[in-house]
Amino acid sequence: MSLDITGTSAWQELRAHYDLVAPTHLRELFADDPERGRELTLTAGDLYIDYSKHRVSRETMRLLVELARAAGVEERRDAMLRGEHVNSSEDRAALHTALRLPADAQLTVDGQDVVADVHAVLARMGEFTDRLRSGDWRGATGERITTVVNIGIGGSDLGPVMAYRALRHYADAGIAARFVSNIDPADLVSKLAGLDPATTLFIVASKTFSTLETLTNATAARRWLTAALGEDAVAKHFVAVSTHEQRVADFGIDTANMFEFWDWVGGRYSVDSAIGLSLMAVVGREAFGEFLTGFHTIDLHFAEAPLERNAPALLGLIGVWYSSFFDADSRAVLPYSNDLGRFAAYLQQLTMESNGKSVRCDGSPVSTPTGEIFWGEPGTNGQHAFYQLLHQGTRLSPADFIGFAEPTDDLPTRDGTGSMHDILMSNLFAQTKVLAFGKTAEEIAAEGTAPELVPHKVMPGNRPSTTILAPKVTPSVLGQLIALYEHQVFVEGVVFGIDSFDQWGVELGKTQALELEPLLTDAQAPAPQADSSTDTLVRWYRGRRGR
Ligand code: F6P
């Protein structure tokens, strides 16, 4: 029987406490507690996290920690890390943390030494990518591979795409990557443009090796390759990453060129498994190892830090605070790093596929909102697009600002004396300040503003944000950031009482697309018989396609 968190005394206390905190402006919270900017902060690995600009008092945080204890966050965390089947609807472990355990760690799950398994695959990935990077592995015509094309979707795409862009400075072997995911043929066609089959290697990445998009794109890519180089070229130009050996063999990829992972790795938690092969090919096994170390650093912090100082736990609880008590629907993720341009998209799958659920583990309906809507773009671009709504709109959208001490690139300012990176970071600090403290009507009027314009210029403030600072976008820091969010998702899921590791909600659309497809493509197919809207849309499409 799943716990209804709203029935606990911890929840009731928070409900009563909300009535005290909600009317209090962040200006008052800072005035009443001048140390909060120094003390409502956390350190986890290389990450410095300031959560003082949230609409919380120290008492709020105490009550949120009490809530986490009432929900059993610590027990569930430990169960997850031990490899218990916390993914209850699929009766599986959710053991992505094992992917980054050091080789001398010990963890046996369901009778299997998972650390040995993980490191055996990492070693094979390392050997393979060493050969690619050194030019020892050559294509069918004897040429070096210069481009790897990862074909995958969802968790088999978003992580490598995001990390490839983030770690572009670590591409050190003359290998570039491209990523194909969409069933829209425009994706494959545009990504193959300009590539030479002789120097291209395809990585077909699919946990299940049954995903329509991936198998369709992989088949089309294979035709492209064999049209140029013949059937025999496949062995040198196609490798696979999957949990499903038989399906890889059936597709025609030599299973000697398959890199394995396991059903206890969820797709959206798999960038640090063999799904990261394209990334390893580009940045090398050492950098990939540092990426894993970064994850592990935060795993240790999550496992060991008391909840009161536990960064993923507190940030997850703050997420619950806004979504359940302030009715905030969304959280903006705003990296002040162009290299993290796909980080929000990556987090959308991680967070929303995990916690977009309506029933608890026992099937009973949830009694709280679940699944914050994650969205965002890098600063400063977002400032010139949607920040207006963050500053003066009627909706509350807490935001995570992410910034770095050291730039990955820097250039002088216009007068040649300063650093563009400093301007970038001054924008980050200014935005969080303005969001929190705003500018009052009195302050604006005192500047001589025409009275009729004053209301338009008032900056209400009281808009919450977390600031996450790190030394630089390195493989380790990137791993730390991802793990920070992975564990927040878990903490929120435990409080909601849901299974954060299944994704049943994506299945029906897949099967209905398969049912509808013949109606679109076969001129002899009977007229569609769905609802009147879908029927009419399908007829419209068939008409335009001359069927
Ligand atoms: O449709 C959702 C999903 O199952 C994701 O959870 C997963 O990451 C993606 O599809 C791709 O799945 P696969 O790796 O099995 O091709």
Side-chain angles (χ1 to χ4, degrees):
M1 185 70 183
S2 299
L3 173 75
D4 178 356
I5 195 69
T6 62
T8 61
S9 59
W11 189 273
Q12 302 307 333
E13 281 185 69
L14 272 167
R15 171 79 40 232
H17 176 75
Y18 166 80
D19 295 335
L20 297 175
V21 173
T24 314
H25 197 285
L26 274 165
R27 286 193 284 258
E28 291 169 67
L29 289 173
F30 270 82
D32 293 348
D33 182 0
E35 289 306 309
R36 59 183 280 138
R38 276 174 284 278
E39 294 180 1
L40 298 192
T41 62
L42 295 159
T43 305
D46 294 320
L47 309 179
Y48 174 79
I49 300 164
D50 176 349
Y51 64 97
S52 67
K53 293 195 185 81
H54 279 295
R55 293 173 65 177
V56 296
S57 64
R58 293 174 198 249
E59 175 65 0
T60 318
M61 297 313 295
R62 188 188 70 74
L63 291 171
L64 285 171
V65 167
E66 210 173 84
L67 183 75
R69 296 223 159 90
V73 164
E74 288 152 310
E75 292 81 1
R76 295 290 290 169
R77 170 198 64 194
D78 296 346
M80 176 178 74
L81 297 176
R82 274 197 304 271
E84 287 181 24
H85 288 201
V86 293
N87 177 353
S88 49
S89 81
E90 295 181 299
D91 192 18
R92 287 175 185 169
L95 210 44
H96 38 285
T97 48
L99 297 170
R100 48 262 193 161
L101 283 173
D104 58 0
Q106 289 186 345
L107 184 64
T108 303
V109 173
D110 300 332
Q112 195 64 20
D113 179 348
V114 294
V115 181
D117 290 350
V118 163
H119 281 271
V121 173
L122 278 173
R124 286 194 56 232
M125 290 167 65
E127 284 153 22
F128 174 69
T129 55
D130 282 353
R131 290 188 65 197
L132 269 185
R133 290 160 55 79
S134 68
D136 180 42
W137 177 288
R138 290 187 179 250
T141 61
E143 289 191 63
R144 280 178 79 133
I145 299 298
T146 54
T147 307
V148 292
V149 178
N150 187 82
I151 301 178
I153 196 165
S156 300
D157 169 71
L158 288 162
V161 169
M162 180 274 290
Y164 174 66
R165 176 162 165 177
L167 301 179
R168 71 196 162 82
H169 274 289
Y170 294 81
D172 59 356
I175 295 184
R178 295 187 187 185
F179 299 88
V180 176
S181 54
N182 203 325
I183 193 75
D184 181 345
D187 196 8
L188 182 67
V189 169
S190 63
K191 301 289 172 45
L192 292 184
L195 292 186
D196 177 356
T199 58
T200 302
L201 177 97
F202 292 96
I203 300 175
V204 186
S206 173
K207 177 175 172 179
T208 55
F209 229 76
S210 64
T211 302
L212 175 74
E213 290 89 338
T214 302
L215 294 189
T216 308
N217 276 318
T219 304
R222 191 188 156 121
R223 282 193 201 110
W224 176 83
L225 179 93
T226 55
L229 302 179
E231 268 303 316
D232 291 348
V234 171
K236 285 287 177 196
H237 292 267
F238 270 82
V239 301
V241 178
S242 186
T243 59
H244 216 290
E245 193 169 336
Q246 187 56 50
R247 291 182 190 155
V248 170
D250 292 347
F251 182 82
I253 296 178
D254 185 349
T255 52
N257 297 331
M258 167 183 155
F259 299 86
E260 186 193 6
F261 63 116
W262 307 272
D263 69 2
W264 43 261
V265 183
R268 53 195 175 271
Y269 297 86
S270 66
V271 62
D272 46 341
S273 72
I275 289 293
L277 188 68
S278 53
L279 180 66
M280 191 192 270
V282 172
V283 303
R285 65 159 99 187
E286 284 79 20
F288 195 82
E290 288 165 25
F291 183 49
L292 300 184
T293 305
F295 281 92
H296 183 61
T297 303
I298 299 300
D299 294 344
L300 285 178
H301 167 90
F302 182 51
E304 292 168 3
L307 290 183
E308 290 77 4
R309 310 286 313 149
N310 194 306
L314 294 189
L315 297 183
L317 290 166
I318 289 171
V320 172
W321 174 238
Y322 289 119
S323 62
S324 292
F325 294 91
F326 286 79
D327 294 330
D329 287 329
S330 81
R331 190 186 323 182
V333 179
L334 310 168
Y336 277 63
S337 161
N338 211 55
D339 293 334
L340 290 186
R342 294 296 287 164
F343 194 59
Y346 170 77
L347 289 186
Q348 283 180 330
Q349 189 202 11
L350 175 65
T351 61
M352 291 158 74
E353 197 166 73
S354 294
N355 283 350
K357 312 285 164 66
S358 304
V359 296
R360 293 188 287 245
C361 289
D362 65 356
S364 58
V366 294
S367 47
T368 59
T370 63
E372 296 167 80
I373 299 165
F374 274 72
W375 59 285
E377 281 289 323
T380 57
N381 289 0
Q383 291 175 203
H384 299 271
F386 53 79
Y387 278 38
Q388 166 65 35
L389 182 146
L390 292 181
H391 284 295
Q392 288 187 317
T394 53
R395 298 171 193 280
L396 180 72
S397 185
D400 292 354
F401 286 78
I402 304 172
F404 300 90
E406 294 295 325
T408 46
D409 294 288
D410 206 0
L411 290 171
T413 51
R414 276 179 295 175
D415 67 4
T417 60
S419 131
M420 279 175 66
H421 182 72
D422 290 343
I423 302 181
L424 175 73
M425 288 302 291
S426 66
N427 272 274
L428 183 160
F429 298 130
Q431 291 296 328
T432 63
K433 183 166 179 256
V434 171
L435 282 168
F437 304 113
K439 198 166 182 183
T440 63
E442 295 70 38
E443 288 166 334
I444 290 164
E447 290 171 347
T449 304
E452 65 276 17
L453 275 184
V454 169
H456 297 280
K457 292 194 164 188
V458 167
M459 298 293 282
N462 212 20
R463 300 181 178 222
S465 65
T466 303
T467 302
I468 302 170
L469 299 178
K472 192 176 177 178
V473 183
T474 63
S476 169
V477 163
L478 186 63
Q480 293 178 47
L481 283 171
I482 298 172
L484 179 73
Y485 282 93
E486 285 179 347
H487 298 318
Q488 284 183 60
V489 167
F490 177 75
V491 168
E492 292 193 31
V494 173
V495 174
F496 301 141
I498 58 177
D499 182 343
S500 297
F501 300 109
D502 62 14
Q503 58 283 321
W504 297 106
V506 300
E507 296 306 325
L508 185 59
K510 291 182 191 173
T511 49
Q512 296 215 350
L514 288 176
E515 284 165 24
L516 280 167
E517 191 203 335
L519 304 184
L520 306 187
T521 55
D522 181 359
Q524 305 308 318
Q529 291 204 332
D531 58 275
S532 59
S533 165
T534 312
D535 275 357
T536 312
L537 295 169
V538 168
R539 273 184 228 281
W540 180 94
Y541 180 79
R542 276 174 59 161
R544 296 297 157 114
R545 299 280 282 168
R547 292 165 183 155

